[in-house]
């Protein structure tokens, strides 16, 4: 009798362990939109419900800018779906990207080594391509990879393919690809307005340094609609390609020093110095690490910095752009519901905050409080969507503290 009871206990314990080890049930998409907050809550409880969700396409890091914890989560989910056969070859690409963005380079390399056992597969070739540093990547090879990509993954490779066409000066093919992207439903409408406002920032025949495929595509898209085609655009992510350097020299009539430094800040400085008759700008969304080696003065005129001293007041140019040349209505609402809108748009739009606060400064200095308050509220609205409203409040706190110091009769004046 004791033996039978012992046997039943073992069977029951085995069933419990089996149920406990099963993957959690996938929840609806609405339940995983705020993953970072969920992760902290579930981690404190010692649970793994944070991983109970649907796999999400993992794009290149400049598209999403999510936290390492979010990418680690996505790696877990894609690994689960690949193990269960729920994902095609694009799942390996998303798993590889997620591991790299999460800082788990050894795990990402293990994925690449595993795929190398079938080196002719699309997954192995695309992962090997992304594993290379940008200067070592073969652009023509990516064109073949894009053509072979699964339909479900191709739309998420369009920004990189636009880079390939742009680097090879294949402008007609590049512009037609914009149409494909737009029809896919994955083109973020926010980028159209951002690109419009960006080119409106610049003086005629200016040269604009842009940082990355998404930002550059926003500008090139609006130019493909016959808006400010006088502006020449240089994509900093492509400057390391010799083919792109030749394209720039021929198409834009620029002197491109050779060899160009790999550091983007130094490369910008060399190009600017080699073309003294041109007026250059740098977008505000450029990675701030590039500014450390730039060695050139910056003058804010809106969404871009001018790299040479203007003959006019920068403040008035700034005011003309934000108050007259820009379309700012789109900042009030979300226009699209795609991946860009969920993850990248708010941080992308933070570029508006600095120039808005400069106008706030000007009106505050003039003691025009109503106008200053209007621009403070606009800057705060943009910053709130990105979770950085503290930056705007701290900026105002400086003025309030300064005013109190000026009213202090005991303040020592030098």
């Amino acid at each position: 009798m004791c033996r039978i009871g012992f046997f039943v206990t073992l069977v029951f314990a085995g069933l419990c362990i089996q149920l406990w080890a099963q993957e959690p049930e996938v929840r609806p998409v609405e339940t995983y939109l705020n993953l970072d907050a969920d992760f902290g809550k579930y981690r404190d409880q010692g649970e793994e419900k944070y991983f109970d969700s649907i796999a999400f396409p993992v794009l290149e890091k400049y598209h999403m800018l999510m936290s390492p914890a979010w990418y680690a989560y996505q790696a877990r989910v894609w690994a689960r779906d690949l193990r269960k056969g729920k994902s095609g070859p694009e799942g390996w690409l998303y798993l590889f990207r997620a591991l790299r963005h999460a800082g788990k380079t050894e795990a990402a390399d293990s994925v690449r080594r595993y795929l190398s056992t079938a080196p002719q597969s699309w997954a192995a070739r695309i992962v090997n391509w992304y594993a290379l540093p940008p200067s070592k990547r073969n652009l023509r090879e990516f064109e073949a990879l894009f053509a072979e990509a699964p339909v479900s993954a191709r739309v998420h490779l369009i920004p990189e393919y636009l880079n390939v066409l742009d680097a090879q000066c294949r402008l007609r093919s590049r512009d037609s690809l914009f149409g494909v992207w737009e029809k896919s439903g994955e083109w973020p409408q926010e980028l159209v307005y951002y690109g419009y406002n960006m080119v409106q920032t610049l003086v005629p025949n200016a040269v604009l340094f842009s940082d990355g495929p998404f930002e550059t595509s926003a500008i090139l898209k609006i130019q493909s609609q016959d808006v400010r085609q006088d502006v020449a655009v240089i994509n900093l992510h492509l400057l390391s390609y010799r083919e792109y350097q030749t394209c720039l020299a021929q198409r834009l009539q620029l002197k491109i020093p050779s060899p160009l430094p790999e550091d983007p800040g130094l490369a910008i400085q060399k190009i600017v110095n080699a073309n003294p008759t041109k007026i250059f700008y740098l977008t505000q969304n450029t990675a701030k690490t590039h500014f450390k080696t730039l060695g050139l003065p910056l003058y804010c005129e809106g969404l871009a910095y001018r790299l040479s001293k203007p003959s006019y007041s920068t403040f008035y140019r700034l005011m003309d752009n934000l108050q007259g040349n820009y379309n700012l209505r789109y900042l009030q609402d979300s226009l699209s519901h795609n991946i860009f809108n969920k993850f990248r748009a708010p941080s992308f739009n933070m570029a508006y905050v600095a120039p808005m606060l400069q106008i706030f400064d000007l009106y505050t200095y003039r003691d025009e409080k109503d106008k200053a308050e209007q621009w403070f509220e606009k800057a705060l609205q943009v910053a709130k969507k990105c979770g950085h409203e503290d930056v705007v409040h701290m900026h105002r706190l400086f003025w309030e503290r300064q005013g109190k110091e000026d009213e202090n009769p005991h303040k020592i004046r030098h």
Side-chain angles (χ1 to χ4, degrees), residues 55 78 80-92 94:
W78 279 109
R80 178 194 66 188
D81 282 9
L82 285 164
R83 186 169 63 251
K84 291 187 172 184
K86 292 182 178 180
S87 174
E90 68 272 20
W92 290 107
Y94 299 143

Side-chain angles (χ1 to χ4, degrees), residues 95-109:
L95 173 61
F96 175 78
R97 281 177 171 171
L99 290 170
R100 292 190 81 184
H101 298 343
K104 300 182 182 297
T105 53
E106 291 185 7
D109 287 342

Side-chain angles (χ1 to χ4, degrees), residues 163-183:
N163 270 349
V164 170
L165 298 175
D166 197 31
Q168 297 173 349
C169 276
R170 295 163 59 187
L171 307 187
R172 288 185 179 179
S173 298
R174 182 198 70 192
D175 290 348
S176 66
L177 189 59
F178 281 124
V180 175
W181 195 359
E182 197 165 13
K183 289 178 182 177

Side-chain angles (χ1 to χ4, degrees), residues 216-227:
T216 306
S217 66
I219 300 161
L220 297 178
K221 173 72 165 67
I222 201 69
Q223 286 186 320
S224 70
Q225 299 175 353
D226 297 327
V227 177

